[in-house]
Amino acid sequence: MKSPLLRRLLLAGVLTGAAYNQAQAQADPLKFGKIDELDLTSKNFVADSTAPAVVLGDFGRTRFEFNDGQFKVVFERVTRLKILSKAGYEYATVEVPLYHKGGSEEKLLGLKGFTYNLANGQVIKEKLNADAIFREETTANITTRKFTLPNVRVGSVIEYTYQVLSPFTFNFQDWTFQRDIPVRWSEYRAAIPEYFDYKMLMQGYEPLEVQERNQASTQYTISWSPTLEFGQRTSGGSQVVTPQVTNHRWAMKNVPALREEPFMTTTADYVSKIDFELAGFKWPDEPYKPVADTWEKIDEELLAHENLGGQLNRAGFLKEQLTILQAQHQEPTARLAAIHHLVRSSVKHNGTNGMYASGPVRRAFEQKTGNSADVNLLLIAALREAGFKADPLLLSTRSHGRLATNVPLISRFNYVLAHVELSDGHTMLVDATEELAPCGMLPPRCLNGMGRLLAGKNGTSRWVELKPADRILQYSQVNLVVDEKGGLSGKVHQEHAGYQALAQRERLRKLGEKKYVEELASAHENWSIPKYTFKEQAALHRPLTLDYEFAATGAEAAVGTIYLSPLHDFGTEKNPFLHENRRFPVDFGANLEETVMVNLTLPTGYELEEVPKGMVVELPEGGGRFSYMVQPGSGTLQIVSRMSLNRTVYAAEEYAHLREFFSRMMSKQSEQLVLKKKS
């Protein structure tokens, strides 16, 4: 039975209250409508000259109200920005997502905005108009309110303020301190009554300027009307309650822009922010009530879902085709590959990712198209029908963000593929969405940490590392002839394997052979490619090979000295790590290996001024190796360049070593050979 106070909390129609709150009592860092006129000039923004805009201040706070018989979350925000270039105009358009479910919805209240411009020494202030506010239905449960500030130009200061009133206590407002533009000041305050228990998940690499927490008391007066309870009429009345409130204050100062960098998953994994997850309730005179999910509860929910677990044994309609494949392929891995080919060639991935099928997997088979779950749940069902132990493995793709195994949230998942246990004890992760990927190759988007195996009644669900079975492999053998004019001609044999083969097959399908070769030639100065041959285009388990002949013209007459950088045209194109520092890991997804062998024939009567020296560069702890080997001959020279990266992920602390590794490799590969005519 609920306590009298709890019943009144649930039945109360009116609640008013005030709390002494040190965090709330402190002066607000941003006052809407009061700007510093110096911000309309360029004096304060010399250091930010390359940024399209700067956040001058971003201030938010969340508190609780109680009305209409329930607690509600009130979020308030004030934001002010400076526009520094035309590229910054996009920051004048703001989106506010609002959640709704059933008959309840979040409401946007008190929206106001201004644009400030300086004209002839005077500040011109323009108000956000109602006709610049729009409504979009983003998903089944999210409505987005979008607005654009008026008359924005280079040099403008814009600001806006609003409230979000939410009946969903589980949807406590998160806060992001960092953006893709510099932030001068970002502050968030939260006042949380003792009735609510939230997990607070802080991430990012920027330090907090302020982190405060203190306790205070809130005084609420609960008023209730007469009502009929257990057959007896109770009288109306009121009661004062004084729950403890925890006041939090966090702030960051001069936060740098978070930029996209090579070999990262998504900026959402590294942005400085704080998230909130409702863990439980502690009502007066009641035991603690946890509400947070556990992974075990999530496992059960997913396996019971009609469009996930409900589709795992529904491939009976494929029995005839599967029987034929089983008879043709006795060896388990060959049979698995044949079933993978059947599904991959029968249902085309429509480009949409998800963990739930759009409907029965049979319908996707008949329509010959579907989302990633349609394809891969059909694959699991077909494998089970053929006698394989196949189960769904849930994951988060790289663009969706890193999956935190210590935070049980179903929303962390957005993809499903097949986990197959073979009779010899080996396991395979199998995905059938990529038309040009062989059986056992995970799409690059899936190479993202850990996945959750849903084993059902016959096993134990667990975490599985999403370790790629393939590498990024490229091999080039170049037979290069130099003439006395400095012209080049040669034959090249290239092999692309693993993920490099997938990338090049996709590029070849998109461009076609002719345009593929034209782009290859145009990337090199004065090149022509008169002959070329592609092999193994359809043999997905084999390297894609390209053999071609090329020529590059030299001077009009013979020259006494020829300068040549043969690896410049065939080695790594550029150092991907241009920035001096990096705050987050480098994630290649898979191990990388690149080999280039150049057999150089010198023109008659010429010799090398100096034979280049060999080189070996190694990353600490066996993380990688680059070698440059030289073998001179009579009128010839062989150069072999090999680079291997032995780990998929390198920590931020290793970035300096990795950047130096690539820098030294690029420098060596660009090294000039000097050929001189013999006297």
Side-chain angles (χ1 to χ4, degrees):
M1 178 180 290
K2 294 182 174 65
S3 69
L5 179 55
L6 177 57
R7 288 202 305 274
R8 289 166 185 167
L9 279 170
L10 297 176
L11 297 171
V14 178
L15 184 147
T16 60
Y20 173 72
N21 181 336
Q22 182 178 333
Q24 304 289 348
Q26 289 178 340
D28 293 348
L30 210 60
K31 293 287 187 183
F32 181 75
K34 295 184 178 180
I35 69 165
D36 183 346
E37 292 187 15
L38 282 177
D39 288 336
L40 288 169
T41 69
S42 59
K43 293 180 180 178
N44 290 348
F45 304 96
V46 175
D48 305 303
S49 59
T50 59
V54 175
V55 177
L56 300 175
D58 196 10
F59 173 52
R61 60 180 153 210
T62 297
R63 56 185 171 82
F64 283 81
E65 286 184 354
F66 191 99
N67 54 54
D68 299 329
Q70 67 178 126
F71 279 100
K72 294 183 180 179
V73 182
V74 182
F75 170 68
E76 305 170 2
R77 182 174 214 149
V78 181
T79 305
R80 185 176 298 150
L81 299 94
K82 168 77 170 182
I83 306 301
L84 298 178
S85 71
K86 290 183 178 180
Y89 289 177
E90 65 179 271
Y91 298 96
T93 297
V94 182
E95 297 183 3
V96 183
L98 302 171
Y99 183 82
H100 59 84
K101 187 175 184 180
S104 299
E105 65 177 3
E106 294 179 334
K107 295 180 180 179
L108 180 67
L109 305 173
L111 174 60
K112 294 184 288 186
F114 291 108
T115 299
Y116 301 87
N117 288 302
L118 198 60
N120 299 320
Q122 299 295 315
V123 178
I124 308 299
K125 179 178 178 181
E126 297 188 54
K127 182 180 178 181
L128 171 66
N129 295 318
D131 58 6
I133 305 170
F134 304 95
R135 180 189 185 100
E136 294 179 357
E137 297 301 325
T138 308
T139 69
N141 294 106
I142 299 292
T143 298
T144 299
R145 298 297 296 273
K146 183 184 293 188
F147 57 91
T148 301
L149 279 300
N151 196 22
V152 173
R153 62 185 73 162
V154 175
S156 296
V157 170
I158 60 174
E159 66 172 354
Y160 53 87
T161 185
Y162 60 83
Q163 287 188 3
V164 174
L165 181 64
S166 175
F168 306 107
T169 55
F170 66 83
N171 200 28
F172 198 96
Q173 286 282 342
D174 304 324
W175 187 259
T176 300
F177 297 94
Q178 191 173 27
R179 303 197 188 189
D180 59 351
I181 54 176
V183 177
R184 295 278 179 89
W185 185 265
S186 180
E187 180 172 331
Y188 189 44
R189 301 178 188 177
I192 303 175
E194 62 182 286
Y195 306 138
F196 300 93
D197 177 24
Y198 288 93
K199 290 182 182 178
M200 302 178 191
L201 311 171
M202 183 75 77
Q203 78 157 38
Y205 296 85
E206 299 305 321
L208 285 163
E209 180 77 10
V210 176
Q211 184 175 17
E212 297 175 353
R213 169 179 169 165
N214 60 74
Q215 301 288 327
S217 295
T218 296
Q219 186 178 90
Y220 295 116
T221 300
I222 305 171
S223 301
W224 61 92
S225 303
T227 185
L228 190 66
E229 244 185 280
F230 306 113
Q232 297 183 354
R233 178 167 295 280
T234 62
S235 60
S238 64
Q239 182 173 347
V240 175
V241 294
T242 56
Q244 290 289 303
V245 172
T246 303
N247 300 306
H248 299 272
R249 180 176 177 237
W250 304 273
M252 288 189 182
K253 182 179 181 180
N254 295 328
V255 187
L258 180 63
R259 57 181 181 249
E260 288 274 358
E261 297 210 30
F263 306 111
M264 66 187 299
T265 49
T266 170
T267 54
D269 282 341
Y270 309 110
V271 67
S272 293
K273 65 176 182 176
I274 184 168
D275 290 341
F276 295 81
E277 181 200 352
L278 182 61
F281 299 103
K282 179 61 176 75
W283 300 117
D285 305 320
E286 292 283 318
Y288 180 81
K289 180 183 177 182
V291 297
D293 277 333
T294 64
W295 286 120
E296 290 70 26
K297 286 168 61 178
I298 290 174
D299 297 340
E300 292 175 7
E301 180 181 340
L302 292 171
L303 287 170
H305 198 289
E306 171 64 18
N307 287 337
L308 202 159
Q311 299 300 315
L312 299 177
N313 297 297
R314 296 192 179 176
F317 65 94
L318 291 176
K319 187 172 184 178
E320 184 177 340
Q321 295 180 62
L322 293 171
T323 300
I324 294 172
L325 292 179
Q326 286 175 279
Q328 291 175 341
H329 304 279
Q330 300 297 317
E331 202 273 322
T333 54
R335 191 185 315 147
L336 172 59
I339 297 171
H340 173 267
H341 176 77
L342 169 66
V343 174
R344 177 171 51 81
S345 59
S346 299
V347 185
K348 180 180 175 62
H349 180 213
N350 62 16
T352 301
N353 296 327
M355 60 180 180
Y356 297 117
S358 61
V361 291
R362 181 166 188 167
R363 186 179 71 185
F365 182 83
E366 291 170 347
Q367 294 180 346
K368 301 185 183 305
T369 185
N371 67 27
S372 63
D374 291 323
V375 176
N376 285 330
L377 293 176
L378 174 60
L379 173 64
I380 296 169
L383 289 169
R384 287 186 171 189
E385 185 71 23
F388 284 95
K389 181 173 175 21
D391 294 298
L393 186 132
L394 278 291
L395 59 90
S396 173
T397 58
R398 289 170 74 91
S399 63
H400 189 249
R402 182 176 53 236
L403 200 158
T405 59
N406 61 333
V407 182
L409 288 175
I410 203 168
S411 60
R412 302 284 182 175
F413 298 124
N414 74 325
Y415 202 90
V416 61
L417 49 79
H419 178 280
V420 185
E421 189 173 320
L422 300 173
S423 57
D424 62 2
H426 287 87
T427 59
M428 289 182 65
L429 303 181
V430 188
D431 179 283
T433 62
E434 295 290 339
E435 293 181 60
L436 299 175
C439 182
M441 175 182 282
L442 293 182
R445 61 180 173 272
C446 296
L447 302 176
N448 193 28
M450 306 290 283
R452 181 76 177 172
L453 173 63
L454 305 183
K457 296 179 181 179
N458 299 322
T460 303
S461 296
R462 64 184 187 275
W463 293 104
V464 175
E465 185 180 2
L466 298 169
K467 189 175 182 179
D470 297 90
R471 295 176 292 169
I472 306 166
L473 295 170
Q474 180 164 315
Y475 171 79
S476 299
Q477 181 175 317
V478 183
N479 295 317
L480 190 62
V481 178
V482 187
D483 65 27
E484 66 276 6
K485 298 178 182 178
L488 303 175
S489 61
K491 295 181 178 181
V492 180
H493 172 78
Q494 286 187 336
E495 295 183 9
H496 305 287
Y499 285 102
Q500 185 68 7
L502 174 61
Q504 294 305 314
R505 282 189 172 100
E506 289 176 341
R507 184 164 176 260
L508 182 57
R509 181 176 63 176
K510 178 183 177 181
L511 298 177
E513 290 188 6
K514 184 178 179 182
K515 191 167 183 182
Y516 182 104
V517 173
E518 286 176 352
E519 289 194 359
L520 175 62
S522 65
H524 304 278
E525 189 175 356
N526 296 326
W527 268 38
S528 63
I529 301 179
K531 293 182 180 180
Y532 59 87
T533 304
F534 289 93
K535 295 178 182 176
E536 310 291 8
Q537 291 189 48
L540 303 183
H541 61 290
R542 295 180 179 276
L544 173 69
T545 66
L546 169 60
D547 291 284
Y548 64 91
E549 298 179 9
F550 78 96
T553 57
E556 294 183 358
V559 293
T561 304
I562 299 171
Y563 299 95
L564 188 65
S565 298
L567 283 180
H568 178 72
D569 285 321
F570 301 101
T572 303
E573 292 183 9
K574 61 181 180 180
N575 188 343
F577 306 116
L578 300 178
H579 298 291
E580 188 171 343
N581 299 302
R582 180 160 166 153
R583 305 291 293 275
F584 41 83
V586 177
D587 188 337
F588 290 95
N591 292 355
L592 189 151
E593 189 171 312
E594 177 187 276
T595 302
V596 182
M597 178 186 291
V598 176
N599 297 308
L600 180 66
T601 300
L602 281 59
T604 303
Y606 285 74
E607 62 183 355
L608 273 171
E609 183 178 65
E610 183 180 356
V611 176
K613 296 178 181 178
M615 173 186 279
V616 174
V617 182
E618 294 186 336
L619 286 170
E621 299 180 7
R625 189 175 194 269
F626 166 69
S627 65
Y628 181 96
M629 311 297 287
V630 180
Q631 183 64 47
S634 178
T636 64
L637 182 71
Q638 183 181 77
I639 303 173
V640 180
S641 168
R642 286 195 177 94
M643 184 265 287
S644 60
L645 296 177
N646 302 325
R647 300 212 305 272
T648 59
V649 179
Y650 295 82
E653 294 77 14
E654 299 174 288
Y655 176 72
H657 295 295
L658 195 62
R659 183 170 181 261
E660 177 66 14
F661 177 87
F662 270 83
S663 177
R664 294 182 66 184
M665 179 180 71
M666 296 294 302
S667 176
K668 193 64 179 175
Q669 289 183 340
S670 300
E671 201 170 72
Q672 275 195 336
L673 303 180
V674 181
L675 311 183
K676 286 204 168 184
K677 193 166 185 177
K678 296 177 183 177
S679 56

